[in-house]
């Protein structure tokens, strides 16, 4: 966190940034040939991924509201319309059901569209096209009609946007066979997963997070490469630990790491797993961790009932890791209410660091 | 001359080719109904030339679809076909007329009354029937059923009313994107015409000048609701507003063909989308679970059959203008019946898809993985 804060200060001092892929050089302190890591925000990582994939494959194009001339409602597609033009970056009218169907049809006919939802709340208008047209067609056609489309946009709670703009759709889309569903946390996740999703021949729902867009992360040289992909279907262990497994996705991963940093001072070592992919879920990584730590806590922003955590608990019960649990698995989720507006209410409707710490101590009985 | 036809037909059935030139005209010109126009100065031509070959081909194709649908009716009543079954008999002039006006490289998408289109877009009758009976020899290996048949440049077969329309515009976008001079025919019914997503699609297709022909097959009833009870405006060819439209006699295959040629040319020239309303009729109810007589009279159905049947119309035209004879067309009927019987035989004897393949086709180009069955102990292998 301190490194990130330092980088932010340097960002401010360096003055106005321009163009795509703005970067800050961190002094590595070692002269000569050491590889240079850079600080890149999630927004810029997504922008780079889009730019690279548009350049790599002519069939790739982006459509959605305000993606072109406005540079993207959240500036994810900044500069792309200027570089690629009207054919590849398409501003749509406010017609989710219509333009989502158009994206799916274009994919069926051989293009590789990226369909942006300004937020996934608006995807509900188009959800029939995502599930019935995109998700099921390969199966119904016995393999004849693939649908290589990416649906992406911000998902889940933001800050003070109210109930209709704060829903998490991980469980809804994660429910459906035929779709892949990914949920990045860091810049590395964002870049690698978006690139992997575009190159995947299947319909992928990519659930980003608006509050993460401005957060910088270190990206190694390997991650900066144009060929760096994050495999879909594989979780990442962000922090090794021995006492308890914290499984999370998206923004909550950061909260888990913060909780782990506090708990380590009390001698508790948390293993933090970043799911990265909701469907197909990497249950094996969770199981291996639970076998090691004997304690499981899931953390997510979505509602509790029929959610990601509920699925993880069920799967753990069915598998070898159940016998290694020393306590029932615990879920931390969004509160079971529509998201309120007032700050104090909103804050208490999402799992906070203190809630994670509390849950860890409960589960470990300390 | 009639006597000599009979004589020749008994003596030299094999030598049909020489009969062409001697006894039949090679082509004839017909007056066709003028189309109502919306935002168009000129419409399709009011005459059409039909060659003997074309006529025989259209006749055979329409008759094949007719008999295929009637066979499906039979199989459904025997419970060999299950679930939904939406039959197309009565509307044959639409799918055959459309196909006659476009290229195999053009694209087509429709809703669930799709068996006729599966055939005209290249699927064999036996594969269509075997899909209906849920066998592994079905065109979707038994995974899709009546509403989910696909072929090259034919995107189904779609079960959600209206959802196929934005898909069709997306296919048209791909046509424009690739720059290969192809178009997409996007079909929907009078019931679907009131779907909001269709108006969203009209807007984008017009805005972006997509090479898309929107085609409303108006068979007067959306399930059990007549057009008068469902639509404030039943001028479906005008409902694209800023999109030029034509209303077409959908029972006359030549009318359908000429109108589609006209619309296709408009789209290919880069002028943007067009809208065609085909006025047609279905003899069956909405689906096999609808007898089709609670919301319309038997007299109405009978009247259409006797005055406007598309196959009879074509047959009369051909016979009355020496393009063919009653006997020759009867021979085609016999051949078609035989083909349908053989296809039905295949469809009723082919085995069901193997259980091991239940999990296949979840993902494309993915290493094999496991799919969960009804319990944690039942797993299926999935390959793309």
């Amino acid at each position: 966190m301190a490194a990130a804060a330092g980088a932010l200060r340097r960002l401010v001092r360096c003055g106005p940034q321009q163009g795509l892929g703005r970067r800050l050089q961190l002094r590595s302190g070692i002269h000569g040939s050491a590889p240079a890591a850079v600080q890149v925000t999630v927004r810029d990582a997504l922008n780079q991924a889009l730019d690279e994939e548009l350049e790599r494959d002519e069939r790739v194009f982006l459509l959605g509201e305000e993606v072109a001339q406005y540079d993207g409602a959240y500036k994810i597609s900044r500069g792309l319309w200027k570089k690629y033009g009207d054919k590849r970056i398409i501003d749509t009218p406010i017609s989710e059901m219509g333009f989502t169907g158009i994206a799916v049809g274009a994919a069926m006919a051989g293009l590789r569209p990226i369909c942006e939802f300004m937020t996934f709340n608006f995807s509900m208008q188009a959800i029939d096209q995502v599930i019935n047209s995109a998700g099921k067609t390969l199966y119904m056609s016995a393999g004849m009609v693939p649908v290589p489309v990416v649906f992406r946009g911000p998902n889940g709670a933001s800050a003070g946007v109210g109930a209709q703009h704060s829903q998490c759709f991980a469980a809804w889309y994660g429910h459906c066979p035929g779709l892949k569903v990914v949920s990045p946390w860091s810049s590395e996740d964002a870049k690698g997963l978006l690139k992997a999703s575009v190159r995947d021949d299947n319909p992928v729902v990519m659930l980003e997070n608006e509050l993460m867009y401005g957060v910088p992360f270190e990206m190694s040289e390997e991650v900066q490469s144009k060929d760096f992909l994050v495999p879909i279907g594989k979780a990442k262990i962000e922090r090794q630990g021995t006492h308890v497994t914290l499984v999370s996705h998206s923004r909550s991963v950061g909260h888990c790491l913060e909780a782990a940093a506090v708990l380590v001072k009390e001698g508790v070592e948390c293993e933090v797993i970043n799911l990265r992919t909701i469907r197909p879920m990497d249950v094996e990584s969770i199981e291996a961790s639970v076998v090691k730590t004997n304690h499981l806590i899931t953390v997510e922003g979505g509602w509790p009932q029929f959610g990601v955590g509920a699925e993880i608990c069920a799967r753990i019960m069915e598998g070898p890791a159940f016998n290694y649990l020393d306590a029932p698995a615990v879920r931390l989720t969004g509160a079971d209410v529509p998201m309120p507006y007032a700050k104090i209410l909103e804050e208490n409707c999402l799992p906070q660091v203190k809630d994670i710490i509390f849950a860890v101590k409960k589960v470990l009985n300390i | 001359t009639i006597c000599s036809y009979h004589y020749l037909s008994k003596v030299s059935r094999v030598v049909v080719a020489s009969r062409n030139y001697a006894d039949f005209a090679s082509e004839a010109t017909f007056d066709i109904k003028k189309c109502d126009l919306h935002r168009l100065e000129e419409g399709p031509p009011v005459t059409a030339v039909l060659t003997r070959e074309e006529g025989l081909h259209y006749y055979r194709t329409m008759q094949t679809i007719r008999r295929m649908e009637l066979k499906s009716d039979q199989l459904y009543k025997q419970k060999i076909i299950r679930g939904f079954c939406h039959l197309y008999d009565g509307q044959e002039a639409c799918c055959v007329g459309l196909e006659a006006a476009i290229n195999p490289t053009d694209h087509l998408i429709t809703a669930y009354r799709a068996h006729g289109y599966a055939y005209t877009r290249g699927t064999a009758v036996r594969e269509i029937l075997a899909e209906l009976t849920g066998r592994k020899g079905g065109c979707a290996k038994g995974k899709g059923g009546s509403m989910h048949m696909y072929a090259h440049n034919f995107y189904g077969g779609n079960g959600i009313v209206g959802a196929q329309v934005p898909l069709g515009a997306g296919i048209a976008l791909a046509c424009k994107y690739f720059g290969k001079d192809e178009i997409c025919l996007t079909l929907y019914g009078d019931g679907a015409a009131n779907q909001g997503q269709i108006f969203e699609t009209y807007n984008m297709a017009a805005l972006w000048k997509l090479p898309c022909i929107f085609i409303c097959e108006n068979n007067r009833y959306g399930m059990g609701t007549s057009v008068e009870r469902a639509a404030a405006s039943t001028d479906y060819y005008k409902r694209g507003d800023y999109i030029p439209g034509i209303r077409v006699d959908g029972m006359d295959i030549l009318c359908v063909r000429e109108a589609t040629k006209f619309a296709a040319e408009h789209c290919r020239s880069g002028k943007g989308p067009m809208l065609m309303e085909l006025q047609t009729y279905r003899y069956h109810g909405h689906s096999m679970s609808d007898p089709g007589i609670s919301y319309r009279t038997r007299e109405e159905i009978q009247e259409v059959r006797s005055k406007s049947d598309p196959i009879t119309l074509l047959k009369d035209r051909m016979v009355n203008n020496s393009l063919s004879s009653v006997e020759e067309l009867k021979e085609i009927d016999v051949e078609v019946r035989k083909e349908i019987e053989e296809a039905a035989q295949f469809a009723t004897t082919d085995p069901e898809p193997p259980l091991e393949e239940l999990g296949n086709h979840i993902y494309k180009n993915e290493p094999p993985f496991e799919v969960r069955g009804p319990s944690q102990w039942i797993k299926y292998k999935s390959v793309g």
Side-chain angles (χ1 to χ4, degrees):
Chain A
M1 286 320 275
L8 266 150
R9 265 180 263 122
R10 260 164 272 170
L11 180 75
V12 168
R13 248 187 267 144
C14 279
Q17 310 297 314
Q18 56 257 350
L20 295 167
R22 73 173 98 139
R23 291 162 180 221
L24 270 186
Q25 212 61 17
L26 264 183
R27 299 259 175 90
S28 62
I30 302 168
H31 298 285
S33 56
V38 292
Q39 290 278 312
V40 180
T41 62
V42 171
R43 172 181 289 111
D44 287 342
L46 291 168
N47 188 278
Q48 284 169 31
L50 288 172
D51 191 9
E52 287 169 15
E53 294 307 299
L54 283 159
E55 192 173 63
R56 178 181 175 271
D57 188 339
E58 268 181 5
R59 300 168 299 170
V60 175
F61 71 100
L62 173 67
L63 87 166
E65 293 156 10
E66 310 298 349
V67 297
Q69 296 189 21
Y70 197 83
D71 273 336
Y74 298 101
K75 307 301 178 212
I76 306 300
S77 53
R78 184 198 281 115
L80 297 179
W81 174 68
K82 208 163 164 199
K83 183 172 175 184
Y84 293 101
D86 286 330
K87 181 179 175 181
R88 313 283 303 280
I89 315 289
I90 303 176
D91 275 335
T92 65
I94 307 174
S95 307
E96 272 77 6
M97 203 168 180
F99 72 67
T100 306
I102 284 177
V104 175
M108 288 178 179
L111 291 176
R112 302 188 75 90
I114 303 169
C115 176
E116 177 174 305
F117 292 118
M118 197 180 280
T119 79
F120 265 94
N121 301 284
F122 313 144
S123 77
M124 268 203 284
Q125 311 240 293
I127 201 164
D128 174 66
Q129 296 288 3
V130 177
I131 296 175
N132 274 324
S133 301
K136 296 179 186 172
T137 295
L138 186 76
Y139 190 85
M140 293 190 295
S141 67
M144 206 190 289
V145 185
V147 188
V149 60
V150 177
F151 305 101
R152 52 158 292 274
N155 174 62
S158 179
V161 294
Q164 293 180 342
H165 288 75
S166 303
Q167 188 167 332
C168 174
F169 288 85
W172 282 30
Y173 289 120
H175 187 58
C176 303
L179 292 178
K180 293 190 181 181
V181 182
V182 299
S183 180
W185 165 63
S186 64
S187 298
E188 175 181 325
D189 293 351
K191 184 167 184 210
L193 283 174
L194 182 48
K195 288 165 75 76
S197 300
V198 171
R199 297 188 199 190
D200 201 300
D201 291 329
N202 298 289
V204 182
V205 171
M206 177 149 143
L207 305 169
E208 300 159 10
N209 186 293
E210 198 245 311
L211 295 172
M212 296 304 296
Y213 282 155
V215 178
F217 289 84
E218 189 171 290
M219 269 173 53
S220 70
E221 197 156 295
E222 187 214 341
V223 174
Q224 291 166 52
S225 149
K226 281 188 182 175
D227 294 311
F228 173 74
L229 303 173
V230 163
I232 296 177
K234 196 87 189 70
K236 183 182 178 201
I237 305 196
E238 297 287 350
R239 185 190 191 282
Q240 302 261 8
T242 47
H243 297 126
V244 61
T245 300
L246 302 176
V247 184
S248 185
H249 74 99
S250 189
R251 187 152 176 264
S252 297
V253 174
H255 299 322
C256 289
L257 288 169
E258 281 183 62
V262 171
L263 285 161
V264 77
K265 296 179 202 147
E266 298 179 50
V268 177
E269 294 284 351
C270 301
E271 180 142 290
V272 177
I273 300 182
N274 173 6
L275 276 176
R276 285 179 156 181
T277 300
I278 303 293
R279 183 177 189 114
M281 195 186 306
D282 180 4
V283 180
E284 288 77 26
S285 292
I286 306 172
E287 283 174 335
S289 177
V290 169
V291 164
K292 187 171 67 165
T293 69
N294 313 121
H295 300 89
L296 174 61
I297 297 175
T298 70
V299 188
E300 69 196 286
W303 290 318
Q305 300 195 35
F306 314 98
V308 174
E311 175 66 15
I312 292 172
C313 291
R315 299 271 276 268
I316 291 297
M317 273 218 289
E318 291 173 354
F322 173 70
N323 293 309
Y324 290 82
L325 281 172
D326 286 346
V330 160
R331 297 174 296 157
L332 291 173
T333 68
D336 205 11
V337 295
M339 184 64 77
Y341 164 68
K343 189 156 190 271
I344 185 173
L345 298 179
E346 185 181 58
E347 272 170 1
N348 284 279
C349 279
L350 290 166
Q352 300 171 68
V353 175
K354 66 170 171 69
D355 300 316
I356 303 174
I357 294 169
F358 181 89
V360 168
K361 290 184 174 175
K362 263 285 209 199
V363 146
L364 293 176
N365 218 6
I366 53 177
Chain B
T1 36
I2 291 175
C3 295
S4 61
Y5 284 175
H6 281 289
Y7 175 72
L8 279 167
S9 72
K10 281 176 181 132
V11 167
S12 55
R13 250 175 223 278
V14 188
V15 193
V16 174
S18 67
R19 278 173 62 187
N20 282 6
Y21 301 110
D23 303 325
F24 296 123
S26 64
E27 64 177 52
T29 304
F30 298 96
D31 291 330
I32 54 176
K33 196 164 150 204
K34 185 175 192 294
C35 295
D36 293 325
L37 303 177
H38 172 69
R39 287 192 190 269
L40 283 167
E41 292 299 315
E42 281 169 12
V46 293
T47 58
V49 174
L50 179 68
T51 70
R52 188 177 131 74
E53 288 79 45
E54 284 170 347
L56 290 172
H57 174 66
Y58 301 158
Y59 181 86
R60 179 185 292 271
T61 310
M62 289 201 286
Q63 192 67 283
T64 302
I65 295 168
R66 174 68 57 90
R67 299 244 58 97
M68 178 178 76
E69 296 296 78
L70 294 179
K71 174 58 69 177
S72 304
D73 170 281
Q74 223 176 51
L75 292 170
Y76 193 92
K77 285 169 177 157
Q78 294 174 279
K79 298 195 195 299
I80 301 172
I81 295 176
R82 309 175 318 120
F84 291 130
C85 191
H86 307 87
L87 297 178
Y88 198 70
D89 50 311
Q91 300 187 209
E92 296 86 352
C94 294
C95 67
V96 180
L98 288 175
E99 191 65 37
I102 60 173
N103 307 318
T105 46
D106 290 319
H107 307 256
L108 193 146
I109 188 169
T110 186
Y112 46 77
R113 200 176 302 282
H115 308 160
Y117 290 98
Y119 181 67
T120 51
R121 286 261 100 190
T123 313
V125 177
R126 71 207 311 254
E127 285 183 39
I128 293 172
L129 290 182
E131 186 60 34
L132 292 174
T133 57
R135 309 302 165 98
K136 68 176 179 44
C139 53
K141 303 189 177 142
K143 307 276 282 280
S146 168
M147 299 184 289
H148 307 295
M149 302 185 186
Y150 305 83
H152 182 61
N153 291 350
F154 174 55
Y155 304 81
N158 289 275
I160 308 295
V161 171
Q164 76 278 11
V165 176
L167 294 179
I171 296 161
L173 187 148
C175 289
K176 185 172 176 179
Y177 195 106
F178 285 125
K180 285 191 283 187
D181 199 37
E182 294 163 6
I183 62 174
C184 183
L185 274 55
T186 300
L187 284 94
Y188 54 98
D190 50 276
N194 300 312
Q195 273 267 313
Q197 58 187 316
I198 292 185
F199 293 89
E200 293 186 12
T201 309
Y202 289 158
N203 182 40
M204 286 182 273
L207 210 50
W208 302 333
K209 292 200 164 28
L210 300 181
C212 183
I213 311 179
F214 295 105
I215 302 168
C216 177
E217 283 182 294
N218 176 6
N219 60 19
R220 307 195 207 169
Y221 301 92
M223 207 156 135
T225 306
S226 68
V227 293
E228 295 78 35
R229 293 204 303 124
S233 162
T234 54
D235 291 331
Y236 295 101
Y237 71 111
K238 290 185 185 172
R239 304 240 336 240
D241 189 5
Y242 35 77
I243 296 179
I246 44 180
R247 180 149 61 190
V248 181
D249 179 358
M251 304 308 263
D252 177 354
I253 191 181
L254 293 179
C255 218
V256 176
R257 186 186 75 180
E258 294 310 310
T260 310
K261 279 186 188 168
F262 176 84
E265 209 261 302
H266 175 101
C267 289
R268 270 187 241 279
S269 67
K271 296 197 183 101
M274 254 195 84
L275 210 165
M276 279 170 49
E277 175 188 345
L278 305 180
Q279 293 186 305
T280 183
Y281 199 83
R282 52 166 163 81
Y283 294 140
H284 269 85
H286 162 72
S287 72
M288 284 304 298
S289 50
D290 168 29
I293 46 169
S294 64
Y295 48 87
R296 56 186 192 173
T297 61
R298 288 183 207 270
E299 288 73 39
E300 178 188 286
I301 305 170
Q302 195 39 47
E303 179 161 9
V304 175
R305 251 192 227 281
S306 57
K307 294 191 182 145
S308 315
D309 183 276
I311 300 176
T312 308
L313 284 180
L314 179 64
K315 174 172 155 192
D316 289 345
R317 268 184 172 151
M318 289 183 70
V319 167
N320 295 340
N321 290 271
S322 302
L323 292 174
S324 183
S325 68
V326 169
E327 292 74 26
E328 184 179 31
L329 296 178
K330 269 211 177 82
E331 272 177 35
I332 294 178
D333 291 350
V334 168
E335 284 164 16
V336 166
R337 267 181 214 267
K338 183 159 173 281
E339 185 190 344
I340 302 302
E341 274 311 313
E342 284 169 4
Q345 183 59 20
F346 172 72
T348 49
T349 54
D350 198 44
E352 286 187 292
L355 204 53
E356 301 80 61
E357 292 180 12
L358 182 153
N360 287 353
H361 311 121
I362 294 291
Y363 295 136
K364 178 100 183 162
N365 291 337
E366 188 89 358
F369 62 99
E370 264 179 358
V371 151
R372 186 191 169 101
S375 80
Q376 69 202 72
W377 302 287
I378 302 172
K379 292 198 199 300
Y380 292 98
K381 185 171 168 202
S382 183
V383 295

